[in-house]
Every structure is written in C-alpha cells, then in structure tokens.
Amino acid sequence: MKRPRRSSGVKERGRAPKERRSFTLSPESISLLRDLCAARQGSRRRSVSSVLDDLLRALDKQRRREAVERAITSFYDGLPVQTDAEEKEWGEFSLAQFLDGPG
C-alpha cells in the first residue's frame, strides 16, 4: 500500500503547502515542459512541476488582468455621451499640458 506523502507543514513564501497530483499529458506538452525547465536560467535547476506551477500562475494573472480590463472598458462604454465628451476634453487638455512641458 502506498503511503501518502506528508508535507512539512511549512508554508513556502507565504503560500499554502503544495499538494501532490497526477496528470496525464500529451508527449508534446511533456516535451514543452522539459524544454522550459532546461531553459530556466539561474544557479539552481527548476523542476518540471515548478515550471508547470509558474505557467498556471502566469495564466491566472493574465486572466485576472483581462477581467479588470473588461470591467474598465465596460465602465467607460456605459458612460453617457455627455460624460464621454467631457472626458475627451479633459484628456486633450492634459495631453496639451504635457506636450507643452514646464513653462
């Protein structure tokens, strides 16, 4: 019988302990992970698991950034036409001040 792997209980850089999982990936995905692992620069080599973890974190960060961008776009798209015109005028004024430079 296989014994479950125990975690030391120590948090890594403020994160919860890692959880062991098993996944089945295509040969192309495995090859990509190995290539990314080999390409890592620095004094210590990174594991394939850490490369995959970094990829997933980057994807999550990108998804959250895109959600914020969609919310901002939705906000500005929902402004009344008059407000939109005022914002445009303020933007043009600010740009003119910036391009004129200090007096």
Side-chain angles (χ1 to χ4, degrees):
M1 183 157 112
K2 203 174 192 181
R3 289 175 40 186
R5 185 176 178 187
R6 290 190 178 183
S7 171
S8 66
V10 177
K11 290 185 177 184
E12 181 182 313
R13 287 184 251 153
R15 297 182 199 145
K18 292 188 176 183
E19 187 175 321
R20 186 175 187 92
R21 292 287 179 181
S22 175
F23 297 96
T24 304
L25 300 172
S26 70
E28 294 84 7
S29 294
I30 296 294
S31 178
L32 174 61
L33 285 171
R34 287 184 178 145
D35 288 347
L36 291 171
C37 186
R40 290 287 175 148
Q41 298 191 8
S43 58
R44 68 176 213 231
R45 299 241 348 192
R46 304 282 305 262
S47 69
V48 173
S49 290
S50 68
V51 170
L52 182 58
D53 197 42
D54 289 346
L55 286 171
L56 293 172
R57 288 177 190 276
L59 177 62
D60 183 49
K61 184 177 180 179
Q62 178 183 348
R63 288 175 52 198
R64 285 185 276 127
R65 181 176 35 244
E66 289 171 354
V68 169
E69 289 172 0
R70 281 192 305 274
I72 291 170
T73 299
S74 176
F75 171 79
Y76 282 105
D77 286 349
L79 289 176
V81 175
Q82 180 182 358
T83 305
D84 189 41
E86 290 173 5
E87 291 291 329
K88 184 177 178 183
E89 288 176 20
W90 275 111
E92 289 171 355
F93 171 78
S94 299
L95 183 60
Q97 296 301 308
F98 178 73
L99 293 176
D100 287 345

